[in-house]
Each structure stands twice: as C-alpha cells, then as structure tokens.
Amino acid sequence: MQILKFYDGSVNSRHIDAMADALRRGDIVIYPTDSLYALGCDALNQRAIERLCRLKGLNPDKNLLSIVCADISQAAEYARIDNRAFRILRQYLPGPFTFILPASTKLPKVFKGRKTVGVRIPHNRIAVSLADALGAPLLTASVNPPAEAPGSIADPDALSLAYSNDVAVLADGGIGHTEPSTIVDITDSSAPVVLRQGLGQFEE
C-alpha cells in the first residue's frame, strides 16, 4: 500500500493525480471524507466495483450503493435530479449527507438491479478533488473498523495496517471522524425521509 500524506487540509495535486491513476487501473483506495474514511473505486469500472463490494461485504442487489461526486453537475450525469431535489442538494451540499436519488442509465450494470443511487459531495477537498481528477464518480463505502480496535476507524495509521493487502493507496488526511453521513431519501423530493441520522442535520 502506498500512503500519501495531505497536510492541513491542503490538496497536493500530484498525490491526487497518482490516486486517480490508481483508480483508472481498477484499484481500491482509502480517502477521507467529511464523515468517515471511505473505500473508493472508479464507479464506472464494473470489475473494481465487484472487488470493493467483496471487500466491504456488500450485496449490490440488496445494499444501497453510493457515489462521491465532484459537484452537483457531475452528480446529475448519474442520478436523476428534479428541480426540488436540486434545491435540496444546493442547500446541503457539500456536506456530510448521502442523498438517495433515482439512478440514471449511465451507471454500470451492477446498479441495474437497483433503481436508486446514494449521492455524496463531501465537504472535503481530497474527496471531491479525486472525483474531479478521475472525471467520474467514486463508488464509496465507509471503512470497517477492526473488531479489536473500533476507534481505529478514524486513524489512517490503523487503517493502513487493516487494509494493507487489499488497498493500493491511502490518502492520509489526519485523524478523521467516527460518525457516518446522514442518509436522506429524496427519490420523492416532495417528501424527504431521513433514513439514518449521522453528522448532518437535515431540516425540510
């Protein structure tokens, strides 16, 4: 595993480019968000998605799959966003939220069994810079803390040990958070539903 350090929230463009290259090769990376550290891969690479799902223990037919996007414009290529949903996204993003939206047909076949996709635009420059440099969203899933050390979920040094055999690159953005994003279902944008309360406070 290659460990790339980012200092004081700054974005090192060479590190971002190196991580984007790894994503294009189909590798899995770990990067910070504004909530938990996350596993990520190219959301348009079917084989990489299957690897990440195995690593995380996700069943694409049953579990929500989420993507990290650089901005709302990129998100609109992969999710159907009506006017009301757009206003909600503008109000709350970037931020620690996952918004469930109807999926577009541009996503790979692993999404085809599901009609929805979770959309994240974290308030974290590393995360959004990765999606921007890749030119595509990242399939994203929060890291699993080792059972014997649950607090290590926020510690990049511990994560580098836990995932040393499975992840190509880790972006070390310092100690992270231990609380996940808030999940809000806006597939019916006139009646948002908070499915999981996390870091973000949603009021509609």
Side-chain angles (χ1 to χ4, degrees), residues 3-204:
I3 299 173
L4 301 176
K5 287 189 176 290
F6 292 79
Y7 295 98
D8 300 323
S10 63
V11 173
N12 182 314
S13 60
R14 284 183 296 177
H15 286 356
I16 293 294
D17 289 343
M19 294 188 74
D21 287 342
L23 291 166
R24 292 187 189 99
R25 292 193 299 269
D27 289 335
I28 296 172
V29 303
I30 291 177
Y31 60 98
T33 73
D34 51 3
S35 55
L36 302 174
Y37 268 85
L39 299 160
C41 71
D42 180 352
L44 305 184
N45 184 321
Q46 179 74 21
R47 186 168 291 181
I49 291 171
E50 291 169 355
R51 284 186 58 220
L52 190 150
C53 286
R54 284 196 301 271
L55 178 59
K56 175 69 177 175
L58 292 173
N59 180 340
D61 295 328
K62 296 181 179 178
N63 297 116
L64 173 71
L65 297 180
S66 295
I67 57 176
V68 161
C69 298
D71 50 33
I72 295 175
S73 177
Q74 188 180 67
E77 297 183 48
Y78 303 98
R80 297 200 303 275
I81 303 172
D82 62 26
N83 289 339
R84 191 179 288 108
F86 179 78
R87 288 195 295 271
I88 292 171
L89 298 186
R90 281 282 303 272
Q91 180 177 352
Y92 287 98
L93 298 178
F97 295 90
T98 300
F99 286 104
I100 301 177
L101 287 156
S104 84
T105 56
K106 289 188 68 174
L107 289 167
K109 66 180 181 180
V110 72
F111 287 88
K112 295 299 185 282
R114 300 190 58 84
K115 297 179 180 178
T116 59
V117 61
V119 170
R120 288 220 63 201
I121 303 174
H123 188 61
N124 180 285
R125 292 176 62 201
I126 297 170
V128 296
S129 294
L130 269 178
D132 186 47
L134 181 63
L138 279 67
L139 184 79
T140 188
S142 59
V143 294
N144 290 329
E148 69 278 5
S152 66
I153 195 170
D155 184 348
D157 290 336
L159 292 173
S160 68
L161 295 174
Y163 288 98
S164 59
N165 296 323
D166 301 299
V167 171
V169 187
L170 183 149
D172 180 350
I175 297 298
H177 294 281
T178 57
E179 193 173 357
S181 64
T182 293
I183 299 177
V184 185
D185 186 340
I186 56 171
T187 50
D188 177 0
S189 58
S190 66
V193 178
V194 176
L195 301 183
R196 180 182 73 191
Q197 183 60 56
L199 271 178
Q201 298 299 316
F202 183 84
E203 297 177 3
E204 178 63 22

